């Protein structure tokens, strides 16, 4: 017993040393803040995920993932739902890999390296040699070209046609070299080359059978860690170990995708061991945490909640640019165009209380628009606005918003943007039925009214709210973005060309020539190297943080509960299974 | 036969007996007397009166406690009801917990605890009662006005008028009411006034049918015929003879309607289509509490939000039950036939 402990300790130490020596992507982990009262210094400690790898790994075992929805089609260019990709993701090789922790594009899949021409338009990808389909054929550049030509074909109906936008040509230079020529440099479009490749030797050359091939239901070959075995619709899909997987055959025998529609039943089956992995709902968290057989993977997701502050007069919505692309000066919002008011709002909210009470701990404070899940572009040095009502009141006093008649509501007495005597009355809206946002609204109303605002909060029907948002007739709105993806480009929220009343997502009418310029430069860096793009996003985050077109409330959090029966799991926000071939059954 | 033949002096002495000397009894005094012998109905009426008074006095009570319905205090969210610890403190069973809780809430006693934002549950229930009860009572008045008028006209005139009205009513009744309400509340932002109007406009069909049936019966009675025969005008007959004779049905129906409307308002709020937060109603408080049903304290593993469910749930149940009991008791009291059977 003692010996085992010692050897485990030794393994851990060795593994920790090895891990410390290798350059590793920094895992996004929970930062623990503890205040040391004696010194009044806040220390931040960071957990390092240590994965002990006992040798030799135990073979066998099956991993069962529970899902609410079933796959619809197992063809990488026809599928559009996440359940389909959960299953088909095992079989098809892809050009570009994605860092499981930062979301950056990395050469871990078929392309082991690439060259980019001086002007950034011609990309030459060099492919891994010796990658085989499970029937013995080699995976080559022809499979890639076949896949993208199929998307372009008139015989194929697919939502992926947009992946070809801006691509002028795809050429196979030799079986292991692909050359892609772009019309212009758009770095956020690089992900479009990441689709799974079809096995071209099994499809008709003219793409005529892509839509209705039996392979779409039963993929015969695989170049990934698992091979398709069986798919019983609305019940389960099973896949088996691929002994010829080029990164090394997995230790486990197979993987099952089991459909369990009811969230309560999923949790129960996770606890009994029938399932090994489920997405956990916030109210189920405690149950998972209290279960000694389960791990909880809490990760920072690609969405956030915010309070949008309309910079322009809601009575007079205007487009941000005229037809020639020149900036159109906006009719400013009588209150919210005053930076002091926006700063006061940002300082008046008790973010810790909001996250712990309204979001039940399922969130984290963010400083600006690029999330930590996109690790390479996120600027961790930027500090979120601190909760400080005294400072907020002081800012309002200094800016000429004071309560001269003593009714508890401030008026404009020498303020910059409103008429003298106008009260600090602002509408705050959110969509009815979203109880979290309704609670947030009630809290924001009470906290802002506490420093002299007169907030008129109402929850309205979602369609009506979207109408007011896109129509730009609101003052303040509580809403959020989800599914922002791995690329930090979010120009549709800030660029003045997307300030188009009725349709554009820059509905807060944010207008900043420098931001427009930075957003454009950040996606047109030749080569699109993350190191070259990051400085642009750091500056963008700084400016957005200082200008406060949004009050950033919280970043969203995802929760996954999983069993401890395999060693080696190391989930990241962008992938749970990225190292599945190294997992092995715990003894 | 012996009674009839008793001599007059015996009769006079009998009449002098206080138990046997009766005032002439009117219909309403008989009903009142019947009610007095019905403790269940009396308790129900008492409960309803207390609820109505508490709701009406909500601002005064809230002022006395020192907290408004929308005053948040996130640091003190999900505080358990102060009532229990207070009693334990006054009886000396637990001298520590109550002062601790009071310290945490800044001196404000949260008698029924606080919700997820640290708002006082008791004060919110009182304010919620204003809205829930207010809407139900006001909509019932609207229902009675519409239902009694239309029902009386249909029943009194009969023929084509009745056919048209019944056709209209039957068409509307065949559409599920909750659908209609969902549609209109989606189109118009629900606030207490619009919701009252909608509930009234979509709620009078049953009442009208009920009244119409009764009017059919009444208009064939001899005194109505007599009134007709002396040339009394229709409007006068309706107001003086027909409607007063439908009064028992109207009153009983009203009591039940209020109960139903409280439930409908709760159901709409539960669907997120009723009065929107931050205004509290019993229905939307219950709806919000539902999300926290399984919320547990990670340290003690105790469920922390059950008190949020119990308050509005119990008030809705008890108020609606009270109204049904009142309706039932009134039917007994107001129905002359039922009294004879007793």
């Amino acid at each position: 017993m003692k010996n085992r402990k010692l050897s485990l300790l030794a393994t851990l130490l060795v593994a920790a040393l090895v891990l410390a020596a290798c350059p590793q992507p920094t895992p996004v982990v929970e930062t623990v803040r503890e205040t040391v009262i004696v010194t009044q210094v806040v220390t931040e400690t960071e957990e390092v995920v240590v994965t002990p790898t006992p040798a030799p790994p135990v073979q066998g075992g099956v991993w069962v993932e529970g899902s609410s929805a079933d796959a619809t089609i197992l063809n990488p260019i026809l599928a559009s739902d996440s359940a389909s990709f959960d299953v088909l993701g095992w079989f098809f090789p892809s050009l570009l890999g994605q860092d499981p922790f930062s979301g950056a594009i990395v050469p871990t899949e078929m392309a082991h390296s690439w060259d980019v021409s001086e002007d950034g338009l011609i990309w030459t990808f060099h492919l891994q040699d010796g990658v085989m389909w499970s029937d013995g054929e080699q995976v080559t550049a022809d499979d890639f070209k076949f896949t993208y030509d199929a998307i372009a074909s008139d015989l194929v109906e697919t939502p992926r046609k947009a992946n070809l936008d801006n691509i002028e040509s795809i050429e196979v230079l030799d079986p292991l070299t692909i050359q892609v020529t772009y019309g212009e440099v758009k770095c956020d479009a690089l992900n479009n080359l990441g689709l799974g490749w079809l096995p071209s030797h099994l499809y008709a050359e003219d793409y005529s059978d892509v839509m209705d091939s039996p392979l779409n239901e039963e993929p015969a070959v695989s170049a990934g860690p698992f091979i398709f075995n069986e798919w019983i619709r609305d019940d389960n899909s099973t896949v088996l170990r691929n002994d010829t997987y080029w990164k090394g055959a997995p230790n486990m025998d197979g993987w099952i995708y089991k459909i369990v529609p009811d969230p309560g039943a999923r949790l129960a089956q996770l606890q009994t061991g029938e399932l090994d992995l489920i997405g956990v709902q916030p109210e189920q968290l405690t149950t998972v945490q209290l279960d000694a057989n389960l791990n909880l993977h809490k990760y920072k997701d690609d969405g956030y909640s915010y309070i949008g502050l309309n910079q322009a007069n809601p009575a007079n919505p205007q487009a941000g640019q005229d037809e020639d692309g020149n900036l159109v000066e906006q009719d400013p919002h009588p209150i919210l165009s005053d930076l002091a008011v926006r700063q006061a709002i940002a300082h008046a909210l008790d973010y810790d209380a909001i996250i712990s009470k309204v979001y039940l701990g399922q969130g984290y404070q963010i400083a600006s628009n690029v999330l930590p899940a996109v690790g390479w572009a996120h600027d961790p040095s930027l500090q979120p606005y601190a909760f400080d009502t005294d400072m907020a009141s002081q800012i309002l006093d200094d800016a000429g918003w004071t309560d001269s008649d003593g009714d508890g509501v401030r008026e404009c007495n020498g303020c910059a943007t409103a008429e003298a005597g106008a009260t600090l009355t602002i509408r705050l809206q959110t969509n009815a039925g979203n109880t979290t946002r309704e609670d947030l609204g009630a809290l924001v109303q009470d906290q802002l009214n506490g420093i002299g605002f007169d907030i008129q909060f109402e929850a309205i029907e979602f369609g009506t709210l979207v109408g007011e948002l896109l129509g730009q007739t609101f003052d303040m709105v509580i809403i959020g973005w989800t599914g922002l993806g791995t690329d930090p480009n979010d120009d549709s929220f800030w660029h003045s060309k997307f300030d188009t009343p009725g349709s554009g997502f820059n509905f807060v009418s944010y207008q900043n020539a420098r931001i427009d310029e930075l957003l454009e430069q950040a996606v047109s860096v030749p080569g699109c190297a993350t190191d070259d793009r990051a400085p642009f996003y750091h500056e963008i985050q700084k400016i957005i943080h200082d200008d406060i077109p949004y009050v950033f409330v919280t970043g969203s959090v995802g929760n996954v509960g999983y069993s401890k029966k395999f060693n080696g799991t190391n989930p990241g926000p962008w992938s749970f299974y990225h190292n599945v071939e190294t997992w092995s059954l715990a003894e | 036969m012996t009674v009839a033949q008793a001599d007059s002096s015996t009769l006079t002495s009998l009449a002098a007996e206080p138990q046997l000397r009766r005032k002439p009894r009117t219909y309403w005094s008989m009903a009142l007397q019947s009610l007095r012998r019905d403790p269940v109905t009396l308790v129900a009426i008492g409960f309803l009166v207390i609820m109505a008074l508490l709701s009406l006095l909500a601002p005064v009570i809230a002022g006395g406690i020192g907290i408004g319905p929308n005053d948040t205090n996130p640091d003190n969210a999900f505080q358990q009801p102060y009532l229990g610890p207070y009693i334990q403190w006054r009886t000396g069973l637990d001298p520590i917990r109550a002062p601790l809780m009071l310290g945490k809430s800044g001196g404000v006693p949260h008698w029924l605890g606080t919700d997820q934002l640290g708002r006082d549950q008791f004060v919110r229930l009182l304010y919620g009662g204003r809205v829930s009860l207010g809407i139900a009572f006001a909509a019932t008045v609207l229902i009675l006005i519409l239902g009694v008028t239309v029902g009386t006209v249909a029943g009194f005139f009969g023929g084509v008028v009745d056919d048209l009205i019944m056709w209209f009513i039957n068409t509307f009744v065949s559409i599920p009411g909750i659908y209609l309400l969902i549609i209109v509340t989606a189109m118009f932002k629900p606030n207490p006034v619009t919701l009252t109007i909608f509930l009234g406009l979509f709620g009078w069909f049953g009442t009208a049918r009920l009244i119409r049936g009764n009017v059919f019966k009444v208009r064939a009675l001899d005194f109505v015929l007599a009134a007709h025969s002396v040339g009394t005008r229709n409007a006068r007959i309706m107001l003086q003879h027909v409607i007063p004779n439908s009064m028992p049905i109207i009153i009983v129906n009203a009591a039940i309607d209020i109960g139903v409307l409280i439930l409908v308002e709760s159901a709409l709020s539960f669907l997120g289509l009723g009065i929107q937060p931050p205004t509290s109603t019993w229905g939307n408080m219950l709806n919000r509490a539902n999300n926290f049903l399984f919320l547990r304290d990670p340290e003690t593993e105790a469920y922390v939000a059950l008190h949020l469910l119990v308050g509005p749930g119990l008030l809705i149940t008890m108020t609606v039950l009270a109204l049904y009991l009142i309706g039932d008791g009134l039917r007994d009291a107001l129905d002359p036939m039922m009294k004879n059977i007793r």
Side-chain angles (χ1 to χ4, degrees):
Chain A
M1 191 62 204
K2 204 160 195 184
N3 264 342
R4 267 188 63 193
K5 267 191 183 165
L6 271 175
S7 66
L8 183 69
L9 194 67
T11 337
L12 272 167
L13 272 172
V14 170
L17 282 173
V18 170
L19 280 170
C22 308
Q24 276 276 316
T26 337
V28 179
V29 290
E30 284 302 298
T31 51
V32 181
R33 288 199 185 147
E34 49 172 337
T35 316
V36 183
I37 297 164
V38 189
T39 54
Q40 291 291 317
V41 171
V42 181
T43 57
E44 292 199 9
T45 59
E46 209 168 83
E47 284 175 30
V48 178
V49 183
V50 180
T51 51
T53 331
V58 185
Q59 300 296 304
V62 172
W63 185 267
V64 188
E65 176 169 346
S67 167
S68 58
D70 197 5
T72 53
I73 189 164
L74 300 183
N75 180 319
I77 66 170
L78 301 181
S80 57
D81 59 303
S82 65
S84 295
F85 282 103
D86 285 348
V87 179
L88 70 83
W90 295 123
F91 314 130
F92 303 98
S94 69
L95 185 66
L96 304 166
Q98 209 163 52
D99 187 291
F101 299 102
S102 76
I105 287 170
V106 284
T108 55
E109 296 298 325
M110 285 307 294
H112 63 72
S113 62
W114 53 77
D115 314 313
V116 188
S117 68
E118 194 88 345
D119 57 7
L121 295 176
I122 302 169
W123 290 64
T124 313
F125 296 96
H126 307 288
L127 304 188
Q128 292 281 353
D129 196 1
V131 179
M132 298 292 176
W133 293 103
S134 51
D135 61 357
E137 289 278 333
Q138 190 173 0
V139 181
T140 66
D142 292 321
D143 293 321
F144 177 82
K145 182 160 171 61
F146 176 84
T147 304
Y148 278 82
D149 285 350
I151 294 173
S153 164
D154 290 339
L155 295 172
V156 179
E157 286 171 35
T158 163
R160 303 288 160 197
K161 299 263 186 206
N163 283 41
L164 298 169
D165 284 355
N166 191 34
I167 292 179
E168 296 203 332
S169 73
I170 295 176
E171 283 165 68
V172 176
L173 302 185
D174 66 62
L176 294 178
T177 313
I178 297 166
Q179 183 177 299
V180 178
T181 309
Y182 283 100
E184 59 178 309
V185 182
K186 281 189 85 71
C187 293
D188 55 329
L190 205 55
N191 278 316
N192 290 346
L193 294 180
L195 289 177
W197 303 0
L198 296 171
S200 58
H201 61 287
L202 298 181
Y203 283 92
E205 270 181 32
D206 61 354
Y207 322 111
S208 56
D209 62 350
V210 169
M211 292 301 289
D212 50 12
S213 165
L215 296 172
N216 295 344
E217 304 271 313
E218 295 180 15
V221 296
S222 165
F226 294 103
I227 302 177
F228 177 80
N229 180 54
E230 190 184 29
W231 177 17
I232 303 169
R233 271 194 191 261
D234 296 323
D235 192 81
N236 71 76
S237 306
T238 50
V239 301
L240 301 175
R241 163 174 42 202
N242 179 2
D243 290 321
T244 62
Y245 181 45
W246 64 280
K247 288 184 188 171
N251 299 315
M252 64 170 80
D253 289 332
W255 176 91
I256 299 175
Y257 197 62
K258 188 175 168 195
I259 313 306
V260 184
D262 180 61
R266 281 200 297 278
L267 180 64
Q269 295 192 13
L270 180 71
Q271 289 190 288
T272 58
E274 284 172 76
L275 294 177
D276 296 312
L277 169 72
I278 64 167
V280 179
Q281 322 256 349
E283 67 273 13
Q284 300 175 333
L285 283 170
T286 327
T287 312
V288 174
Q289 278 166 340
L290 295 174
D291 194 321
N293 297 318
L294 299 177
N295 281 325
L296 184 70
H297 169 46
K298 180 176 180 176
Y299 58 94
K300 294 174 176 176
D301 214 348
D302 58 341
Y304 57 82
S305 300
Y306 62 92
I307 306 173
L309 309 178
N310 197 347
Q311 314 288 298
N313 191 342
N316 181 21
Q318 284 174 301
Q321 291 186 355
D322 62 16
E323 284 161 11
D324 304 325
N326 301 314
L327 287 183
V328 173
E329 200 184 333
Q330 302 283 302
D331 181 2
H333 191 286
I335 297 172
L336 291 171
S337 62
D338 188 343
L339 179 62
V341 172
R342 303 203 295 274
Q343 286 171 337
I345 294 172
H347 278 298
L349 303 181
D350 185 352
Y351 299 96
D352 286 344
I354 288 170
I355 290 166
S356 69
K357 295 301 171 357
V358 177
Y359 289 86
L360 302 177
Q362 298 307 297
Y364 59 97
Q365 205 184 344
I366 51 175
S368 195
N369 60 323
V370 178
L371 295 171
V374 188
W376 60 270
H378 172 71
D379 180 0
S381 66
L382 213 52
Q383 289 302 311
Y385 283 92
F387 171 46
D388 187 340
T389 46
D390 293 338
M391 189 195 283
S393 301
Q394 191 61 48
I395 292 170
L396 287 175
D397 287 343
D398 295 346
W401 290 98
T402 52
D403 182 14
S404 52
D405 57 8
D407 65 350
V409 178
R410 292 170 187 266
E411 302 91 30
C412 176
N413 296 307
C415 72
T417 53
E419 289 172 21
T423 57
L424 201 48
T425 302
I426 311 175
R427 283 177 303 148
L428 171 66
Q429 291 165 315
T430 193
N431 55 313
N434 184 323
T435 47
T436 305
R437 289 183 190 158
E438 287 169 358
D439 278 354
L440 178 59
L443 198 61
V444 168
Q445 179 183 36
D446 193 46
Q447 294 190 337
L448 291 183
N449 286 359
I451 59 162
F453 279 84
D454 172 25
I455 299 293
Q456 318 261 317
F457 171 55
E458 56 174 6
I460 59 176
E461 196 263 329
F462 188 67
T464 318
L465 182 72
V466 172
E468 294 226 2
L469 267 189
L470 296 180
Q472 307 186 355
T473 56
F474 65 100
D475 288 334
M476 283 165 65
V477 65
I478 297 173
I479 198 130
W481 294 118
T482 58
L484 295 170
T486 53
D487 197 275
N489 180 33
D490 55 357
D491 57 354
S492 58
F493 307 159
W494 316 116
H495 198 291
S496 56
K497 72 180 173 196
F498 293 104
D499 173 12
T500 50
S503 60
F505 281 169
N506 182 4
F507 40 68
V508 293
S509 290
Y510 181 60
Q511 198 175 59
N512 183 327
R514 176 69 184 147
I515 282 286
D516 289 358
E517 189 184 7
L518 285 168
L519 286 167
E520 285 161 17
Q521 287 171 345
V523 293
S524 53
V525 179
C528 297
T530 51
D531 286 349
D532 297 336
R533 294 179 68 196
F536 294 110
Y537 286 108
H538 284 194
E539 188 176 347
I540 289 170
Q541 287 167 73
K542 175 87 176 72
I543 295 174
I544 299 277
H545 172 265
D546 292 346
D547 276 354
I548 326 178
Y550 290 176
V551 175
F552 294 93
V553 177
T554 170
S556 53
V557 162
N559 288 290
V560 167
Y562 62 101
S563 84
K564 294 180 173 169
K565 79 181 187 190
F566 279 90
N567 288 331
T569 53
N570 182 19
W574 300 105
S575 169
F576 190 87
Y577 294 112
H578 60 94
N579 62 342
V580 69
E581 66 276 3
T582 66
W583 297 7
S584 65
L585 213 52
E587 280 174 87
Chain B
M1 289 305 119
T2 47
V3 176
Q5 284 165 2
D7 59 278
S8 59
S9 66
T10 326
L11 278 174
T12 322
S13 65
L14 269 175
E17 284 290 314
Q19 297 121 316
L20 293 175
R21 202 161 45 190
R22 280 182 173 182
K23 276 184 202 157
R25 300 208 315 180
T26 66
Y27 174 75
W28 294 108
S29 70
M30 274 157 65
L32 208 62
Q33 195 167 22
S34 161
L35 259 188
R36 247 184 267 152
R37 274 180 273 153
D38 186 353
V40 175
T41 310
L42 286 180
V43 169
I45 292 176
F47 175 79
L48 197 68
V49 169
I50 290 172
M51 279 322 301
L53 277 178
L54 281 176
S55 299
L56 279 175
L57 296 175
V60 180
I61 298 169
I65 296 174
I67 191 160
N70 292 326
D71 291 352
T72 60
N73 179 10
D75 291 336
N76 193 30
F78 295 119
Q79 192 184 54
Q80 297 303 303
Y82 176 70
L83 192 60
Y86 175 76
I87 293 169
Q88 286 175 331
W89 176 56
R90 293 310 291 255
T91 54
L93 286 173
D94 184 349
I96 299 161
R97 236 179 104 207
L100 272 180
M101 288 175 80
L102 219 48
K104 200 146 182 279
S105 64
V108 180
H110 295 299
W111 295 107
L112 297 181
T114 62
D115 68 3
Q116 69 280 2
L117 300 179
R119 295 176 294 195
D120 186 279
Q121 177 79 350
F122 179 59
V123 170
R124 283 181 71 75
L125 280 173
L126 294 183
Y127 274 87
R130 277 162 89 87
V131 180
S132 293
L133 290 176
I135 287 177
F137 274 92
T140 301
V141 169
L142 197 59
I143 285 175
L144 287 184
I145 293 172
L146 288 168
V148 170
T149 313
V150 177
T152 308
V153 167
F156 189 80
F157 292 107
V160 182
V161 177
D162 181 45
D163 284 350
L164 278 176
I165 289 175
M166 287 316 289
W167 172 79
F168 177 78
I169 288 177
N170 285 334
T171 309
F172 256 92
V173 169
S174 59
I175 306 171
I178 197 91
Y179 269 128
L180 281 178
L181 282 168
I182 287 173
I183 292 167
V184 290
T185 47
M187 290 193 302
F188 301 93
K189 200 168 75 68
N191 62 41
V193 177
T194 55
L195 200 61
T196 303
I197 293 172
F198 293 142
L199 288 173
L201 285 181
F202 295 131
W204 58 268
F205 308 120
T207 309
R209 275 182 173 176
L210 212 64
I211 302 295
R212 165 185 171 267
N214 193 59
V215 171
F216 268 136
K217 199 176 72 188
V218 174
R219 73 166 185 184
L221 294 177
D222 290 346
F223 59 87
V224 178
L225 285 177
H228 268 303
S229 64
V230 297
T232 318
R233 278 186 298 167
N234 284 340
R236 193 185 162 100
I237 297 177
M238 277 193 263
L239 283 175
Q240 223 163 31
H241 297 297
V242 176
I243 292 181
N245 274 288
S246 302
M247 227 42 200
I249 292 185
I250 295 172
I251 291 172
V252 172
N253 194 47
I256 309 243
D257 262 353
I258 299 174
V260 171
L261 287 173
I262 290 176
L263 289 181
V264 170
E265 188 272 319
S266 309
L268 279 177
S269 296
F270 201 82
L271 294 170
L273 295 165
I275 308 294
Q276 295 304 329
T279 307
S280 66
T281 74
W282 293 344
N284 70 27
M285 289 175 74
L286 190 64
N287 178 27
R288 192 67 186 101
N290 186 38
N291 298 29
F292 300 116
L293 189 53
F294 296 108
L295 193 68
R296 292 201 275 176
D297 188 319
E299 282 161 27
T300 62
E301 299 186 26
Y303 290 95
V304 294
L306 293 184
H307 63 284
L308 297 181
L309 208 63
V310 172
L314 214 58
L315 280 182
I316 291 173
T317 313
M318 287 178 56
T319 309
V320 174
L321 183 67
L323 282 159
Y324 284 177
L325 289 174
I326 292 170
D328 202 44
L330 285 178
R331 199 194 62 223
D332 290 353
L334 295 176
D335 187 338
M337 293 299 167
M338 292 284 285
K339 203 173 327 282
N340 286 352
I341 291 165
R342 262 187 179 179

